[in-house]
Amino acid sequence: MRARRINSALGGAAVLALALTACGTADVGGTGSGDDNGDGGDTITIGVKYDQPGLGLDEGGTPVGFDVDVATYIAEELGYSADQIEWTEAASANRESFLQQGTVDMIAATYSITDERRDVVDFAGPYYVAQQDILTQAGDSDINGPDDLEGKVLCSASGSRSAHNITEDMGIDAELREAGNYSECLELLNNGTVDAVTTDNTILAGFAAQNPDDFRMVNNPFGEERYGVGLPAGSTERCEEINEAITKMWEDGSATEYLNSAFGETDFAFEESTPELDACA
């Protein structure tokens, strides 16, 4: 697949202070009131991130970013207009519980598809395939890949497997520091409490684009993160409808447009081809 480098301005950019405080923003919606028949109801409640520039960032009560654009497109294909969407903040640690408890109808929040998560929730997609990378302070030239994290303090968000991919799967002896979300990780990196932050390159690219004088994206990607739309268990019919919407979104150019508008001048590159979608179980 052909990769394309992004050089457009960061859409809906906000100051770092907003990103660092957005995690405390009150939820919007959260009633789980969507019609599950695919032909639209009064509202649909969607969980997204509120603290990730370029992906899901709260701006005065309304989230913006790539995941938000994707979720809006999918909702409209399901029969919901934009003003029928109720947005709820879905942190990494509460995505499964939100779906199990009916707090949301679906989640588009850099939600990587894994076998472990499939045991408790369903997924449509993936709608995008990211890779993992590392973010350091701008002046740090010592960390240029996972091997350089040996003996370093590494931050990742609660509910994410990113840091464990390095310490467990790759066997690198880094000291883990778990934070509530990536905004907290950025605070710890900024004040020198941790040496690096690791997660998906999409997430890191958003932070790096907003704060190029403070943070440096290593741009040495590894692994694979397949972003899916999280659904309550047993949502086979809804999964199939969303997969159709994802295919259309890539074929009509909307997905590429969303990626271009979401990320600023970083070395992050994205694939222009439709991801290979999983079958709905």
Side-chain angles (χ1 to χ4, degrees):
M1 293 187 290
R2 183 164 62 93
R4 178 176 179 179
R5 193 167 304 282
I6 300 174
N7 289 308
S8 59
L10 176 65
V15 296
L16 177 60
L18 175 60
L20 298 179
T21 57
C23 54
T25 304
D27 290 349
V28 179
T31 59
S33 56
D35 184 336
D36 212 23
N37 297 318
D39 53 2
D42 291 336
T43 61
I44 184 169
T45 305
I46 305 176
V48 295
K49 293 293 181 67
Y50 274 28
D51 70 330
Q52 292 179 350
L55 290 158
L57 182 67
D58 176 66
E59 290 195 342
T62 302
V64 297
F66 175 65
D67 283 351
V68 178
D69 289 337
V70 169
T72 301
Y73 186 102
I74 290 171
E76 290 177 344
E77 289 297 308
L78 295 177
Y80 297 91
S81 62
D83 59 7
Q84 289 178 294
I85 300 173
E86 296 183 347
W87 301 106
T88 294
E89 181 182 8
S92 296
N94 61 25
R95 290 175 296 198
E96 285 83 28
S97 62
F98 273 18
L99 290 169
Q100 291 172 313
Q101 296 166 6
T103 304
V104 297
D105 297 304
M106 68 183 195
I107 289 178
T110 58
Y111 199 6
S112 295
I113 301 170
T114 68
D115 291 338
E116 181 181 10
R117 289 167 177 164
R118 280 190 184 278
D119 286 341
V120 292
V121 300
D122 284 357
F123 284 100
Y127 60 87
Y128 186 74
V129 180
Q131 290 182 286
Q132 189 171 338
D133 213 318
I134 299 165
L135 194 74
T136 69
Q137 289 189 349
D140 187 343
S141 60
D142 294 332
I143 298 175
N144 294 292
D147 290 342
D148 298 327
L149 293 170
E150 191 83 21
K152 303 289 187 180
V153 183
L154 179 64
C155 189
S156 190
S158 176
S160 169
R161 286 285 306 168
S162 295
H164 297 283
N165 292 341
I166 291 173
T167 59
E168 296 177 9
D169 299 346
M170 302 176 74
I172 295 171
D173 186 19
E175 179 185 341
L176 295 188
R177 174 68 179 265
E178 191 173 86
N181 52 49
Y182 286 108
S183 293
E184 293 181 19
C185 278
L186 266 290
E187 288 186 273
L188 296 173
L189 179 60
N190 198 41
N191 65 30
T193 303
V194 302
D195 299 301
V197 178
T198 187
T199 187
D200 310 346
N201 54 3
T202 50
I203 298 172
L204 299 181
F207 284 119
Q210 276 198 324
N211 306 278
D213 295 333
D214 298 321
F215 304 120
R216 176 180 69 93
M217 189 171 167
V218 167
N219 288 310
N220 186 7
F222 53 97
E224 188 175 84
E225 302 291 343
R226 303 167 67 246
Y227 291 169
V229 177
L231 299 166
S235 301
T236 302
E237 181 179 349
R238 176 54 58 87
C239 170
E240 291 171 349
E241 294 167 346
I242 292 175
N243 277 355
E244 290 179 5
I246 291 170
T247 299
K248 181 180 177 181
M249 179 181 70
W250 279 94
E251 289 179 348
D252 68 17
S254 295
T256 301
E257 177 186 339
Y258 300 153
L259 285 163
N260 266 314
S261 66
F263 299 100
E265 294 185 357
T266 72
D267 289 331
F268 170 63
F270 67 88
E271 297 291 346
E272 290 190 82
S273 302
T274 308
E276 183 177 349
L277 303 183
D278 294 347
C280 297

